[in-house]
Amino acid sequence: MNIKKEILKLKEERNAVILAHNYQLGEVQDIADFTGDSLELARKATDIDSDVIVFCGVHFMAETAAILNTDKTVLLPAKDAGCPMADMITGDQLRELKAKHPKAKVLCYVNSTAEIKAESDCCVTSSNALAVAKSYPADQEIIFVPDRHLGGYTAEQLHREFILWPGFCPTHACFMAEQIAESRKQHPDALVLVHPESPKPVRDAADQVLSTGGMCRFALKSDNTSFIIGTEVGIIHRLQLENPDKSFFALHDRAICPNMKKIDLEKVFWSLKDMETKIVVPEDIAIKAKLSIEKMLSLS
Ligand code: 13P
Ligand code: SF4
């Protein structure tokens, strides 16, 4: 069986669209209708005519698409593809933190559960956290959950202090500034692009701190021809495809998010065939979570 042909046939029969995150396997990115970062995917999810969305990413991304599309079926081809960072804070923990800081506004990274989004004032992604945070008065107390690195980076840019939840991404937390120094020795002309989920010493040693979508746009526009990429290695597939004459080197070739790699062509096929796994968010949570996602979309 030609699996690509079968997927395209099923996609038509089901009136489905395939969305993929920049970290997905190359074969999945290649069959997707749209590949992007979390913000681009959330925006895309507000503008879909199809009845079915096959979301090739992790659970919180499919959940966000489901919250924005209550009239559509959202499928996650690997039901166990979660984001460990999103699971580092529970609703009860956030409610407790809010009770300690009753005047604070809560910004939640989109890498969070629907329950956390529902408890937050506004959602952010790695590409709009600064713009969203800037929209609050300078003296406004801010709680930022769950990523202490993106939260710390955003506060730092604004010369402010946030109340940070100590969450982190296990894939990005492993990067070290020493790896950048070593990589620069091997590729002296390369620019170093890192994701804001990286620890501060890594961000400080980089040339640019960007979301995955920001990295794609930067590489396309830049006159530079080589880049050291400090994020999950799956993005190199897209960078190389869009910039065939430029070179991309992984800051660390084992910077792999195991959850992002749970989806392959076979899983996409079975997802469309069996219409599994459907992502459904309880209505009371979805209504509140939608407000924080829509506020973010209106601010960025
Ligand atoms: P982006 O929004 O930059 O694509 O990041 C998503 C993510 O999960 C990073 O680890
Ligand atoms: Fe979550 Fe990190 Fe994987 Fe992104 S790379 S989905 S933050 S574990």
Side-chain angles (χ1 to χ4, degrees):
M1 142 171 125
N2 180 328
I3 194 147
K4 281 191 195 166
K5 263 195 190 160
E6 293 301 317
I7 290 172
L8 295 176
K9 209 166 100 191
L10 273 172
K11 205 178 76 156
E12 202 157 310
E13 278 169 31
R14 304 282 192 209
N15 188 23
V17 65
I18 302 178
L19 304 185
H21 186 264
N22 289 322
Y23 295 159
Q24 287 290 293
L25 290 175
E27 63 184 37
V28 175
Q29 293 189 33
D30 292 345
I31 204 146
D33 297 287
F34 182 81
T35 301
D37 70 9
S38 307
L39 180 61
E40 291 161 345
L41 290 166
R43 279 202 189 291
K44 195 73 195 164
T46 61
D47 180 31
I48 279 172
D49 294 329
S50 319
D51 299 318
V52 176
I53 301 173
V54 181
F55 208 110
C56 300
V58 290
H59 192 270
F60 76 81
M61 296 178 173
E63 215 175 40
T64 303
I67 291 165
L68 294 169
N69 289 282
T70 39
D71 57 333
K72 300 187 196 317
T73 303
V74 177
L75 303 174
L76 180 64
K79 69 167 183 250
D80 58 342
C83 167
M85 183 208 283
D87 296 331
M88 285 181 190
I89 184 165
T90 64
D92 283 343
Q93 287 171 317
L94 179 52
R95 283 184 284 275
E96 213 175 290
L97 188 61
K98 281 167 67 172
K100 278 191 199 150
H101 304 278
K103 290 191 181 140
K105 296 282 182 195
V106 181
L107 300 186
C108 71
Y109 190 19
V110 69
N111 296 37
S112 56
T113 60
E115 187 184 5
I116 295 298
K117 290 183 178 79
E119 284 287 340
S120 299
D121 293 284
C122 192
C123 191
V124 305
T125 76
S126 56
S127 55
N128 65 12
L130 190 60
V132 172
K134 261 189 189 164
S135 72
Y136 289 91
D139 58 352
Q140 171 65 59
E141 200 178 11
I142 301 273
I143 293 174
F144 193 104
V145 298
D147 185 15
R148 66 167 182 250
H149 296 303
L150 177 64
Y153 176 64
T154 310
E156 197 179 292
Q157 300 285 101
L158 293 172
H159 309 290
R160 291 178 58 181
E161 281 196 15
F162 292 171
I163 299 153
L164 300 174
W165 188 256
F168 62 91
C169 161
T171 306
H172 290 82
C174 294
F175 288 134
M176 292 185 294
E178 293 74 12
Q179 293 164 341
I180 295 189
E182 193 47 46
S183 200
R184 283 198 197 272
K185 275 190 216 153
Q186 286 170 28
H187 312 289
D189 298 328
L191 287 177
V192 179
L193 317 184
V194 303
H195 196 275
E197 286 175 15
S198 308
K200 179 168 166 56
V202 173
R203 301 192 308 260
D204 287 348
D207 296 304
Q208 297 284 330
V209 180
L210 297 162
S211 70
T212 63
M215 288 184 191
C216 293
R217 288 188 292 278
F218 185 88
L220 264 179
K221 272 200 204 148
S222 174
D223 292 332
N224 223 71
T225 55
S226 59
F227 304 86
I228 294 161
I229 302 297
T231 193
E232 212 273 352
V233 296
I235 194 176
I236 292 183
H237 175 79
R238 176 168 169 197
L239 288 167
Q240 204 61 78
L241 207 70
E242 292 180 351
N243 305 274
D245 301 327
K246 297 183 180 178
S247 307
F248 300 92
F249 308 101
L251 176 56
H252 197 297
D253 55 13
R254 268 176 286 161
I256 295 168
C257 172
N259 285 285
M260 282 284 182
K261 301 295 181 261
K262 285 183 177 164
I263 297 171
D264 56 15
L265 283 186
E266 217 170 297
K267 292 244 174 62
V268 175
F269 169 80
W270 285 109
S271 177
L272 274 164
K273 181 106 181 132
D274 296 343
M275 293 294 281
E276 291 288 356
T277 296
K278 292 188 184 79
I279 303 298
V280 183
V281 181
E283 202 184 343
D284 53 334
I285 293 181
I287 290 170
K288 289 194 206 153
K290 194 174 179 188
L291 294 176
S292 78
I293 300 168
E294 285 181 341
K295 181 156 188 198
M296 164 185 88
L297 294 174
S298 75
L299 287 172
S300 54

